[in-house]
Short mmCIF file of all heavy atoms in Angstrom, two decimals:
data_model
loop_
_atom_site.label_atom_id
_atom_site.label_comp_id
_atom_site.label_asym_id
_atom_site.label_seq_id
_atom_site.Cartn_x
_atom_site.Cartn_y
_atom_site.Cartn_z
N GLU Q 279 48.62 4.35 -34.25
CA GLU Q 279 48.47 3.18 -33.35
C GLU Q 279 48.02 3.63 -31.96
O GLU Q 279 47.10 3.06 -31.37
CB GLU Q 279 49.81 2.43 -33.23
CG GLU Q 279 50.03 1.47 -34.36
CD GLU Q 279 51.37 0.77 -34.29
OE1 GLU Q 279 52.20 1.15 -33.43
OE2 GLU Q 279 51.59 -0.12 -35.08
N ARG Q 280 48.66 4.69 -31.45
CA ARG Q 280 48.30 5.16 -30.11
C ARG Q 280 46.84 5.62 -30.07
O ARG Q 280 46.12 5.30 -29.14
CB ARG Q 280 49.23 6.31 -29.68
CG ARG Q 280 50.59 5.83 -29.22
CD ARG Q 280 51.35 6.95 -28.56
NE ARG Q 280 51.68 8.03 -29.47
CZ ARG Q 280 52.71 8.02 -30.31
NH1 ARG Q 280 53.52 6.99 -30.34
NH2 ARG Q 280 52.96 9.04 -31.10
N ALA Q 281 46.42 6.33 -31.12
CA ALA Q 281 45.03 6.83 -31.12
C ALA Q 281 44.04 5.68 -31.16
O ALA Q 281 43.01 5.72 -30.48
CB ALA Q 281 44.83 7.75 -32.32
N PHE Q 282 44.33 4.63 -31.92
CA PHE Q 282 43.37 3.53 -32.05
C PHE Q 282 43.43 2.58 -30.85
O PHE Q 282 42.47 1.87 -30.59
CB PHE Q 282 43.59 2.77 -33.36
CG PHE Q 282 42.96 3.48 -34.52
CD1 PHE Q 282 43.57 4.59 -35.08
CD2 PHE Q 282 41.74 3.08 -35.03
CE1 PHE Q 282 42.98 5.29 -36.12
CE2 PHE Q 282 41.14 3.76 -36.07
CZ PHE Q 282 41.76 4.88 -36.62
N LEU Q 283 44.55 2.58 -30.17
CA LEU Q 283 44.62 1.75 -28.96
C LEU Q 283 43.92 2.43 -27.79
O LEU Q 283 43.52 1.79 -26.83
CB LEU Q 283 46.08 1.44 -28.61
CG LEU Q 283 46.74 0.45 -29.56
CD1 LEU Q 283 48.23 0.34 -29.28
CD2 LEU Q 283 46.10 -0.93 -29.44
N LYS Q 284 43.83 3.77 -27.86
CA LYS Q 284 43.12 4.52 -26.80
C LYS Q 284 42.12 5.45 -27.49
O LYS Q 284 42.37 6.64 -27.63
CB LYS Q 284 44.12 5.34 -25.99
CG LYS Q 284 44.95 4.51 -25.06
CD LYS Q 284 45.78 5.36 -24.15
CE LYS Q 284 46.93 5.98 -24.90
NZ LYS Q 284 47.78 6.83 -24.09
N PRO Q 285 41.01 4.90 -27.95
CA PRO Q 285 40.11 5.74 -28.75
C PRO Q 285 39.38 6.81 -27.97
O PRO Q 285 38.66 7.61 -28.55
CB PRO Q 285 39.14 4.74 -29.36
CG PRO Q 285 39.27 3.49 -28.59
CD PRO Q 285 40.55 3.52 -27.86
N GLY Q 286 39.54 6.88 -26.66
CA GLY Q 286 38.87 7.93 -25.88
C GLY Q 286 37.43 7.54 -25.57
O GLY Q 286 36.92 6.51 -26.04
N GLY Q 287 36.77 8.40 -24.80
CA GLY Q 287 35.37 8.15 -24.46
C GLY Q 287 35.18 6.86 -23.70
O GLY Q 287 34.10 6.28 -23.69
N GLY Q 288 36.24 6.36 -23.07
CA GLY Q 288 36.14 5.13 -22.29
C GLY Q 288 36.02 3.89 -23.16
O GLY Q 288 35.74 2.80 -22.66
N ALA Q 289 36.25 4.02 -24.49
CA ALA Q 289 36.09 2.87 -25.38
C ALA Q 289 37.27 1.92 -25.28
O ALA Q 289 38.36 2.30 -24.87
CB ALA Q 289 35.96 3.37 -26.82
N GLN Q 290 37.02 0.67 -25.66
CA GLN Q 290 38.04 -0.37 -25.64
C GLN Q 290 39.03 -0.15 -26.79
O GLN Q 290 38.67 0.47 -27.80
CB GLN Q 290 37.40 -1.74 -25.81
CG GLN Q 290 36.50 -2.16 -24.66
CD GLN Q 290 37.29 -2.30 -23.38
OE1 GLN Q 290 38.34 -2.93 -23.34
NE2 GLN Q 290 36.81 -1.65 -22.33
N PRO Q 291 40.26 -0.66 -26.68
CA PRO Q 291 41.19 -0.59 -27.80
C PRO Q 291 40.57 -1.24 -29.05
O PRO Q 291 39.81 -2.19 -28.93
CB PRO Q 291 42.40 -1.38 -27.33
CG PRO Q 291 42.30 -1.40 -25.85
CD PRO Q 291 40.85 -1.31 -25.51
N LEU Q 292 40.89 -0.70 -30.22
CA LEU Q 292 40.30 -1.20 -31.46
C LEU Q 292 41.21 -2.23 -32.11
O LEU Q 292 42.43 -2.20 -31.92
CB LEU Q 292 40.09 -0.02 -32.41
CG LEU Q 292 39.11 1.04 -31.92
CD1 LEU Q 292 39.22 2.30 -32.75
CD2 LEU Q 292 37.69 0.50 -31.98
N ARG Q 293 40.60 -3.12 -32.90
CA ARG Q 293 41.40 -4.08 -33.69
C ARG Q 293 41.62 -3.47 -35.06
O ARG Q 293 40.66 -3.13 -35.76
CB ARG Q 293 40.64 -5.40 -33.82
CG ARG Q 293 40.81 -6.33 -32.61
CD ARG Q 293 40.17 -7.66 -32.87
NE ARG Q 293 40.76 -8.31 -34.02
CZ ARG Q 293 40.07 -8.96 -34.96
NH1 ARG Q 293 38.77 -9.04 -34.89
NH2 ARG Q 293 40.69 -9.53 -35.98
N PHE Q 294 42.88 -3.31 -35.44
CA PHE Q 294 43.16 -2.67 -36.73
C PHE Q 294 44.42 -3.27 -37.35
O PHE Q 294 45.21 -3.92 -36.65
CB PHE Q 294 43.34 -1.15 -36.54
CG PHE Q 294 44.43 -0.79 -35.57
CD1 PHE Q 294 45.72 -0.57 -36.00
CD2 PHE Q 294 44.16 -0.69 -34.21
CE1 PHE Q 294 46.74 -0.25 -35.10
CE2 PHE Q 294 45.16 -0.37 -33.30
CZ PHE Q 294 46.45 -0.15 -33.75
N GLU Q 295 44.57 -3.03 -38.64
CA GLU Q 295 45.75 -3.52 -39.37
C GLU Q 295 46.20 -2.45 -40.36
O GLU Q 295 45.36 -1.77 -40.95
CB GLU Q 295 45.40 -4.76 -40.19
CG GLU Q 295 45.32 -6.02 -39.40
CD GLU Q 295 44.85 -7.20 -40.27
OE1 GLU Q 295 44.57 -6.99 -41.48
OE2 GLU Q 295 44.74 -8.27 -39.72
N PHE Q 296 47.50 -2.35 -40.52
CA PHE Q 296 48.04 -1.45 -41.54
C PHE Q 296 48.30 -2.25 -42.82
O PHE Q 296 48.74 -3.39 -42.74
CB PHE Q 296 49.37 -0.85 -41.08
CG PHE Q 296 49.22 0.25 -40.08
CD1 PHE Q 296 49.12 -0.03 -38.73
CD2 PHE Q 296 49.17 1.57 -40.49
CE1 PHE Q 296 48.97 0.98 -37.80
CE2 PHE Q 296 49.02 2.59 -39.57
CZ PHE Q 296 48.93 2.30 -38.21
N SER Q 297 48.03 -1.61 -43.95
CA SER Q 297 48.31 -2.32 -45.20
C SER Q 297 49.80 -2.30 -45.49
O SER Q 297 50.34 -3.17 -46.13
CB SER Q 297 47.55 -1.69 -46.35
OG SER Q 297 48.08 -0.43 -46.63
N LEU Q 298 50.48 -1.27 -44.99
CA LEU Q 298 51.90 -1.13 -45.28
C LEU Q 298 52.71 -1.83 -44.18
O LEU Q 298 52.40 -1.67 -43.00
CB LEU Q 298 52.25 0.36 -45.32
CG LEU Q 298 53.45 0.74 -46.14
CD1 LEU Q 298 53.21 0.38 -47.60
CD2 LEU Q 298 53.70 2.24 -46.01
N GLY Q 299 53.73 -2.58 -44.57
CA GLY Q 299 54.54 -3.28 -43.59
C GLY Q 299 55.60 -2.37 -42.97
O GLY Q 299 55.66 -1.17 -43.23
N VAL Q 300 56.45 -2.98 -42.13
CA VAL Q 300 57.57 -2.24 -41.53
C VAL Q 300 58.86 -2.88 -42.04
O VAL Q 300 58.85 -4.03 -42.46
CB VAL Q 300 57.54 -2.34 -39.98
CG1 VAL Q 300 56.35 -1.61 -39.43
CG2 VAL Q 300 57.55 -3.78 -39.52
N PRO Q 301 59.98 -2.13 -42.04
CA PRO Q 301 61.23 -2.74 -42.50
C PRO Q 301 61.54 -4.02 -41.70
O PRO Q 301 61.40 -4.03 -40.48
CB PRO Q 301 62.28 -1.65 -42.23
CG PRO Q 301 61.51 -0.38 -42.22
CD PRO Q 301 60.16 -0.72 -41.67
N LEU Q 302 61.93 -5.04 -42.42
CA LEU Q 302 62.20 -6.33 -41.77
C LEU Q 302 63.27 -6.19 -40.69
O LEU Q 302 63.24 -6.89 -39.69
CB LEU Q 302 62.64 -7.34 -42.85
CG LEU Q 302 62.78 -8.79 -42.43
CD1 LEU Q 302 61.51 -9.32 -41.77
CD2 LEU Q 302 63.14 -9.66 -43.62
N LEU Q 303 64.19 -5.25 -40.88
CA LEU Q 303 65.25 -5.06 -39.89
C LEU Q 303 64.69 -4.59 -38.55
O LEU Q 303 65.34 -4.70 -37.53
CB LEU Q 303 66.28 -4.04 -40.42
CG LEU Q 303 67.62 -3.99 -39.69
CD1 LEU Q 303 68.30 -5.35 -39.65
CD2 LEU Q 303 68.55 -2.98 -40.33
N ASN Q 304 63.47 -4.04 -38.55
CA ASN Q 304 62.87 -3.60 -37.29
C ASN Q 304 62.06 -4.71 -36.62
O ASN Q 304 61.51 -4.51 -35.55
CB ASN Q 304 61.91 -2.42 -37.53
CG ASN Q 304 62.66 -1.19 -38.00
OD1 ASN Q 304 63.88 -1.19 -38.03
ND2 ASN Q 304 61.94 -0.16 -38.37
N VAL Q 305 61.99 -5.87 -37.26
CA VAL Q 305 61.24 -6.98 -36.67
C VAL Q 305 62.21 -7.74 -35.75
O VAL Q 305 63.33 -8.07 -36.16
CB VAL Q 305 60.68 -7.89 -37.78
CG1 VAL Q 305 59.98 -9.10 -37.18
CG2 VAL Q 305 59.71 -7.09 -38.65
N GLY Q 306 61.78 -7.98 -34.51
CA GLY Q 306 62.67 -8.51 -33.48
C GLY Q 306 63.56 -9.67 -33.92
O GLY Q 306 64.78 -9.60 -33.78
N LEU Q 307 62.97 -10.72 -34.47
CA LEU Q 307 63.76 -11.91 -34.80
C LEU Q 307 64.81 -11.61 -35.87
O LEU Q 307 65.95 -12.07 -35.78
CB LEU Q 307 62.84 -13.02 -35.31
CG LEU Q 307 62.15 -13.85 -34.23
CD1 LEU Q 307 61.16 -14.80 -34.86
CD2 LEU Q 307 63.17 -14.62 -33.42
N ALA Q 308 64.42 -10.80 -36.87
CA ALA Q 308 65.35 -10.48 -37.95
C ALA Q 308 66.48 -9.60 -37.42
O ALA Q 308 67.65 -9.78 -37.77
CB ALA Q 308 64.62 -9.79 -39.09
N ARG Q 309 66.13 -8.66 -36.57
CA ARG Q 309 67.17 -7.77 -36.02
C ARG Q 309 68.15 -8.57 -35.17
O ARG Q 309 69.37 -8.37 -35.24
CB ARG Q 309 66.50 -6.66 -35.19
CG ARG Q 309 67.51 -5.70 -34.64
CD ARG Q 309 66.90 -4.48 -34.01
NE ARG Q 309 67.97 -3.61 -33.56
CZ ARG Q 309 68.00 -2.99 -32.39
NH1 ARG Q 309 66.99 -3.12 -31.57
NH2 ARG Q 309 69.01 -2.23 -32.05
#
Side-chain angles (χ1 to χ4, degrees):
E279 276 178 352
R280 282 192 294 278
F282 280 77
L283 288 172
K284 286 188 287 180
Q290 294 297 311
L292 297 166
R293 277 186 60 221
F294 57 92
E295 281 175 359
F296 283 86
S297 69
L298 205 62
V300 293
L302 188 54
L303 195 55
N304 294 353
V305 176
L307 277 174
R309 182 171 182 224

